Amino acid sequence: MLQVWGLAGIGEISAGDDLAAIVGDALAASGEEPSDGDILVVTSKVVSKAEGRSVVADDREDAITRETVRVVATRTSPTGHTTRIVENRLGIVSAAAGVDASNTPEGTVLLLPVDPDASARALAAALRERFGVRLGVLVSDTLGRAWRDGQTDHAIGAAGVHVFEDLRGGVDAQGRPLVVTLPCVADELCAAADLVKRKTTGMPVAVVRGRADLVGDLDLPGARSIVRTGERDMFRLGADEAYAEGFAAGSGSA
Amino acid sequence: MLQVWGLAGIGEISAGDDLAAIVGDALAASGEEPSDGDILVVTSKVVSKAEGRSVVADDREDAITRETVRVVATRTSPTGHTTRIVENRLGIVSAAAGVDASNTPEGTVLLLPVDPDASARALAAALRERFGVRLGVLVSDTLGRAWRDGQTDHAIGAAGVHVFEDLRGGVDAQGRPLVVTLPCVADELCAAADLVKRKTTGMPVAVVRGRADLVGDLDLPGARSIVRTGERDMFRLGADEAYAEGFAAGSGSA
């Protein structure tokens, strides 16, 4: 049985707040103290706020440009709205480079944490120490997907959690090797947590209980190990962008 | 509180089996009879088996070719293994067009259900009738993702469940509209279910309890409404493929 619940009592977070203390207090007050193997899923927005990642930006588009390492694809809608799919410095491909202008004061935007894996490690270390239990922490962000509408939550930071469940050495019920199965359980945990977090009601942390087997040492690989960039990425450019590059090369104008 | 558990007692499924009766018996025997608002997540593999979608195929690659509507991208690894990312007739972009050769008898492969939304509707209708409760059904498949390693489970069939939670009319805590948020809750539910299904142990159905607000009429849009194909798809071709098309056009050889 997997149980997932949102943690009540986490108010507005400001720059410099001790997020581990605030989350720990909410856990202690919840009537359900953490157990070995619990996994906390923390929305990146509150991590960013505590880390002072709010920046003044009259123009969200400028902030996106500054956060972008590489433009993957751009499209302008008939109404003139431009969507940019970009790779950010964390290797994450998403719309808008994680620059968030919702639930932020007018004239400011919120950037992603500088190093979400390190943020997750700091939170996990502090909470393991405080409660004397072995828990894991994931930092989640809401991302769109190629080929599918809508968004789901994904892991952009991880500490003390196996981000993949490696079944590749396993066998199926006929005894044949399960060759290509590598479930990204970190993303699945973040998706499960999003089902209880309710974006509109300010409940930025969820607890997942029931997969203690996925919790391990704090030096396990982080969420950075999930992103696929560079040569292994078959979708490093949008189709229009790649076509245009090829056309220019073929016509000798590149 | 969201609760997710795997349903024990579903044995090997064969062509012609009455899957609704088998799942219903497992629900009845589980000691936890279905409640209004429960969502069943059924692995597509057992739906396919019950529907007789096993075909003789000495060559899995031939079966993939037959299931493919459009090749999106192809890559051959240094060891000679070719990965094909293709769009199948359901509009789903995935490796291998959903052709499954694990947990199938030698010399056969398993194709996806012909119409997973219809399969979900038939299951949901039969189980609603039998138990007199309003439940939802999702049919899940394991899919890779662009830009991220590993796989997560996604919804390829849906009945009686809102596949998107439409927050677009909502406002954030500052009262500003949440413009682009459209959580694909169907995919998040399938991801949560995968965390309890354990691919290697033959537990193909999970129950999700705690999001009764997402359960509705059987004629809600199905999972077909999730896929993004055609003009709106910025990644309709792999970067190498689009570049090559552009190069050929630019050099006048196309």
Side-chain angles (χ1 to χ4, degrees):
Chain A
M1 165 82 81
L2 193 77
Q3 294 176 302
V4 192
W5 65 91
L7 201 55
I10 297 176
E12 198 57 35
I13 302 293
S14 304
D17 281 353
D18 182 343
L19 190 60
I22 292 168
V23 171
D25 290 348
L27 281 167
S30 71
E32 187 64 66
E33 291 227 352
S35 296
D36 274 339
D38 283 354
I39 298 166
L40 300 186
V41 183
V42 182
T43 306
S44 63
K45 185 187 290 268
V46 293
V47 177
S48 291
K49 285 184 173 177
E51 294 179 357
R53 298 284 291 156
S54 175
V55 295
V56 173
D58 289 333
D59 186 345
R60 178 166 177 256
E61 299 305 317
D62 287 346
I64 295 170
T65 302
R66 287 195 299 272
E67 288 291 294
T68 295
V69 169
R70 196 174 64 80
V71 177
V72 175
T74 303
R75 183 167 291 189
T76 302
S77 76
T79 62
H81 177 75
T82 297
T83 298
R84 281 186 283 174
I85 311 294
V86 301
E87 181 181 329
N88 69 11
R89 73 206 140 63
L90 300 168
I92 299 167
V93 175
S94 70
V99 174
D100 190 346
S102 66
N103 267 313
T104 58
E106 277 304 324
T108 67
V109 298
L110 196 62
L111 309 182
L112 289 178
V114 171
D115 182 348
D117 283 328
S119 306
R121 260 195 315 276
L123 275 171
L127 293 167
R128 283 181 177 205
E129 171 78 19
R130 172 165 173 181
F131 293 100
V133 299
R134 190 172 149 99
L135 50 73
V137 171
L138 297 172
V139 174
S140 68
D141 197 22
T142 303
L143 301 176
R145 300 89 50 84
W147 316 308
R148 297 179 80 79
D149 273 337
Q151 304 90 34
T152 55
D153 273 14
H154 295 74
I156 67 164
V161 182
H162 291 272
V163 297
F164 297 110
E165 182 171 20
D166 198 339
L167 302 176
R168 286 177 297 185
V171 293
D172 68 15
Q174 266 71 43
R176 286 177 304 192
L178 280 167
V179 277
V180 294
T181 305
L182 187 68
C184 184
V185 283
D187 283 348
E188 294 188 327
L189 288 160
C190 290
D194 190 43
L195 290 166
V196 304
K197 284 201 278 186
R198 313 295 180 98
K199 288 182 178 58
T200 48
T201 55
M203 192 175 276
V205 180
V207 184
V208 182
R209 178 169 292 171
R211 285 304 306 269
D213 60 304
L214 297 176
V215 174
D217 294 338
L218 291 185
D219 60 358
L220 284 170
R224 179 77 206 209
S225 66
I226 300 171
V227 298
R228 182 198 293 142
T229 55
E231 185 46 42
R232 294 177 51 244
D233 175 11
M234 296 162 81
F235 301 95
R236 66 189 179 280
L237 283 177
D240 288 350
E241 285 75 10
Y243 183 95
E245 273 195 9
F247 191 94
S251 62
S253 66
Chain B
M1 165 82 79
L2 193 78
Q3 294 174 303
V4 192
W5 64 92
L7 201 56
I10 297 176
E12 197 56 36
I13 302 293
S14 304
D17 281 352
D18 182 344
L19 190 61
I22 291 167
V23 172
D25 290 348
L27 282 167
S30 71
E32 189 62 67
E33 291 227 350
S35 296
D36 275 339
D38 283 354
I39 298 166
L40 299 186
V41 182
V42 182
T43 305
S44 63
K45 184 186 290 265
V46 294
V47 176
S48 291
K49 285 185 173 176
E51 294 179 357
R53 298 284 291 156
S54 176
V55 297
V56 174
D58 289 332
D59 186 345
R60 178 164 178 255
E61 299 305 317
D62 287 348
I64 295 171
T65 302
R66 287 194 300 273
E67 289 290 294
T68 295
V69 169
R70 195 175 65 80
V71 176
V72 174
T74 303
R75 183 167 293 189
T76 302
S77 76
T79 61
H81 176 75
T82 297
T83 299
R84 282 186 281 174
I85 311 294
V86 302
E87 181 180 328
N88 70 10
R89 69 204 144 64
L90 300 168
I92 298 167
V93 174
S94 70
V99 174
D100 190 346
S102 67
N103 268 312
T104 58
E106 276 305 323
T108 66
V109 298
L110 196 62
L111 310 181
L112 289 178
V114 172
D115 181 348
D117 282 329
S119 307
R121 263 196 311 278
L123 275 171
L127 292 167
R128 284 181 177 205
E129 171 78 16
R130 173 166 172 181
F131 293 100
V133 299
R134 188 172 151 97
L135 51 74
V137 171
L138 296 172
V139 174
S140 68
D141 196 20
T142 302
L143 301 176
R145 301 87 52 83
W147 315 308
R148 296 179 80 79
D149 273 337
Q151 304 90 33
T152 55
D153 273 15
H154 295 73
I156 67 164
V161 182
H162 291 272
V163 297
F164 297 110
E165 181 170 22
D166 199 339
L167 302 175
R168 286 177 298 184
V171 292
D172 68 16
Q174 266 71 43
R176 286 176 304 193
L178 280 166
V179 279
V180 294
T181 305
L182 187 69
C184 185
V185 283
D187 283 347
E188 294 189 326
L189 289 160
C190 290
D194 191 42
L195 291 167
V196 304
K197 284 201 276 186
R198 314 293 179 100
K199 287 181 177 60
T200 48
T201 57
M203 193 176 276
V205 179
V207 183
V208 182
R209 179 170 293 171
R211 285 304 306 268
D213 59 303
L214 298 176
V215 174
D217 294 338
L218 291 185
D219 60 359
L220 284 170
R224 179 78 206 208
S225 65
I226 300 172
V227 299
R228 182 198 294 143
T229 54
E231 184 47 41
R232 293 177 52 244
D233 176 10
M234 295 162 81
F235 300 95
R236 66 189 178 281
L237 282 177
D240 288 349
E241 286 74 10
Y243 183 96
E245 274 196 8
F247 190 95
S251 63
S253 67

